[in-house]
Amino acid sequence: MTDTTQNTRVLLASRPHGEPTSANFRIESVPMPEPADGEVLLRTVYLSLDPYMRGRMNEAKSYAAPVELGAVMEGGTVAEVIQSRDPSLKPGDMVLSHLGWQSHGVQQARHVRKLDPARAPISTAVGVLGMPGFTAYAGLLEIGRPQSGETVVVAAAAGPVGSAVGQIARIKGARAVGIAGGAEKVAWLEELGFDVALDHRSPTFRDDLKAAVPDGIDVYFENVGGHVWEAVLPRLNTYARVPVCGLVAHYNETEPREGPDRSARLMSAILTKSITVRGFIQHEFVKSHYKQFQADAAEWIRDGSLRHREDVVDGLENAPDAFFGMLSGKNFGKLLVRVGEDPTR
Ligand code: NDP
């Protein structure tokens, strides 16, 4: 039975040096917050765990401010309204919100978006129909611009961003090559219709990639960096496009990797092959592309051309371990924490 007087929350207790551990988090219970005029009190149903949260644990300023020490870990949530002081929402409404790692919270009603559980499962609002799906859509179509018959390669392909990238590439008539860790993920990519799926942990990965792209790579959607990027770079075609979305292989690094400086080789490839390498953070495309994304994604889900998979962990207290696992590939699909009962299922 949920305690209606207490809010359980996970705070950032210390900053990690390298891989985060449970010592970096502290769980506490505090009295339930009270909503003011224009606000709603929410009960978290799903907390989305995403790789960007590793960056928020660092002190260094990035494209977003770090989480302060002693503050609630940041995160997107799907929540139920349990008390409303705004006419636009009533108890029982389900909303997309940003409560972070806590069981309850207060938000301004104008900062949440009401969800229609009849339209799609509410969890998809932080997955295929939410930020990760949108990241794939905007980054691939606006920067990658795949043309029919071209070859698109994506890593972390069994995750919510990568799986959408590959499927959207196929919808646009391109060949999709997905890279993931392990046989189970590779089998799922084949089931989704990727033209080729490769295991980056295989000792023959470099040769497998070479064989999978006989005409070279026109679009490489970068999610990971590391040894996958090393294998991809020599296979990029003239005029290739590289949307740089994430570098999860490097998020726990504290120092640059040892080795010869290969930046000249990289710049030379960019120059001589006229390659476009363009980093992006999905917000920049929200105004211009979000509405169309919602319409397109809903249609593709309906006609079966865009499928997704969720990896649901029960209990807020298990969020830290699930988060560590995601950074090393233990998740299989969009990683969610079911913080409280989902009344729509
Ligand atoms: P995922 O659920 O795909 O989780 C990350 C995956 O990365 C792991 O499951 C693992 O999959 C893979 N991985 C981890 N370490 C390595 C490694 N060393 N080499 C190769 N693969 C590795 O995450 P998302 O789909 O949510 O996010 C994918 C990327 O997109 C991340 O880099 C994230 O930061 C970025 N992102 C960027 C946004 C933007 O606006 N720019 C917005 C949202 C996400 P496997 O087992 O297959 O190796």
Side-chain angles (χ1 to χ4, degrees):
M1 191 70 194
T2 318
D3 184 344
T4 53
T5 62
Q6 296 285 305
N7 174 29
T8 306
R9 51 193 207 170
V10 181
L11 311 180
L12 180 65
S14 60
R15 301 204 185 276
H17 185 74
E19 279 187 29
T21 69
S22 19
N24 300 126
F25 298 103
R26 189 171 74 246
I27 301 187
E28 66 173 24
S29 270
V30 292
M32 195 68 83
E34 290 270 344
D37 277 350
E39 293 182 338
V40 282
L41 175 62
L42 301 173
R43 174 183 75 81
T44 309
V45 177
Y46 295 106
L47 163 66
S48 170
L49 292 181
D50 298 273
Y52 76 82
M53 293 167 172
R54 176 63 189 84
R56 299 288 199 281
M57 297 176 80
N58 293 340
E59 190 156 27
K61 190 164 173 354
S62 180
Y63 61 90
V67 174
E68 296 293 331
L69 286 181
V72 175
M73 276 295 293
E74 182 182 338
T77 46
V78 173
E80 180 180 10
V81 175
I82 52 176
Q83 194 185 338
S84 177
R85 295 197 52 190
D86 189 274
S88 66
L89 290 166
K90 60 179 189 318
D93 285 344
M94 305 305 303
V95 293
L96 173 64
S97 43
H98 205 83
L99 294 176
W101 297 27
Q102 56 183 342
S103 65
H104 296 81
V106 159
Q107 277 207 261
Q108 295 217 342
R110 66 191 168 90
H111 289 161
V112 304
R113 182 157 63 79
K114 189 170 163 181
L115 299 172
D116 177 2
R119 184 176 160 256
I122 55 173
S123 55
T124 58
V126 287
V128 66
L129 282 172
M131 187 277 280
F134 178 63
T135 301
Y137 178 92
L140 179 68
L141 298 184
E142 198 46 38
I143 303 173
R145 296 180 179 263
Q147 306 300 306
S148 185
E150 286 191 331
T151 298
V152 174
V153 175
V154 60
V161 176
S163 60
V165 166
Q167 293 177 89
I168 297 170
R170 295 267 305 147
I171 291 166
K172 296 295 172 187
R175 268 187 89 230
V177 176
I179 300 171
E184 244 194 313
K185 290 185 181 180
V186 164
W188 185 60
L189 296 181
E190 286 166 353
E191 199 186 307
L192 287 184
F194 279 68
D195 295 274
V196 186
L198 304 174
D199 182 354
H200 68 81
R201 297 205 196 116
S202 160
T204 57
F205 169 63
R206 251 176 195 266
D207 291 337
D208 298 343
L209 178 65
K210 187 175 172 192
V213 295
D215 300 327
I217 299 171
D218 301 295
V219 180
Y220 174 56
F221 193 100
E222 176 62 296
N223 277 332
V224 303
H227 69 291
V228 176
W229 167 241
E230 290 288 325
V232 161
L233 178 60
R235 313 251 78 85
L236 291 175
N237 286 338
T238 297
Y239 298 123
R241 287 82 68 199
V242 181
V244 182
C245 174
L247 295 168
V248 67
H250 303 281
Y251 290 171
N252 285 328
E253 284 176 2
T254 53
E255 304 292 334
R257 289 185 182 187
E258 287 291 318
D261 178 357
R262 282 183 288 223
S263 51
R265 197 190 64 173
L266 169 63
M267 293 305 271
S268 168
I270 292 173
L271 169 67
T272 57
K273 291 185 181 170
S274 305
I275 296 168
T276 302
V277 178
R278 154 85 146 93
F280 73 102
I281 304 298
Q282 47 85 25
H283 328 128
E284 72 168 287
F285 297 115
V286 166
K287 268 204 180 125
S288 53
H289 291 68
Y290 202 79
K291 217 169 152 199
Q292 192 59 46
F293 156 70
Q294 286 282 319
D296 287 346
E299 187 188 322
W300 295 334
I301 289 170
R302 251 194 319 274
D303 72 18
S305 52
L306 179 59
R307 292 165 58 197
H308 71 286
R309 177 181 181 118
E310 293 176 345
D311 185 342
V312 182
V313 171
D314 274 304
L316 183 61
E317 67 284 3
N318 295 317
D321 278 344
F323 175 63
F324 309 147
M326 177 180 58
L327 296 173
S328 60
K330 293 208 176 81
N331 65 309
F332 190 173
K334 171 66 208 147
L335 185 58
L336 299 167
V337 179
R338 187 161 34 216
V339 176
E341 181 218 348
D342 177 350
T344 66
R345 283 200 185 176

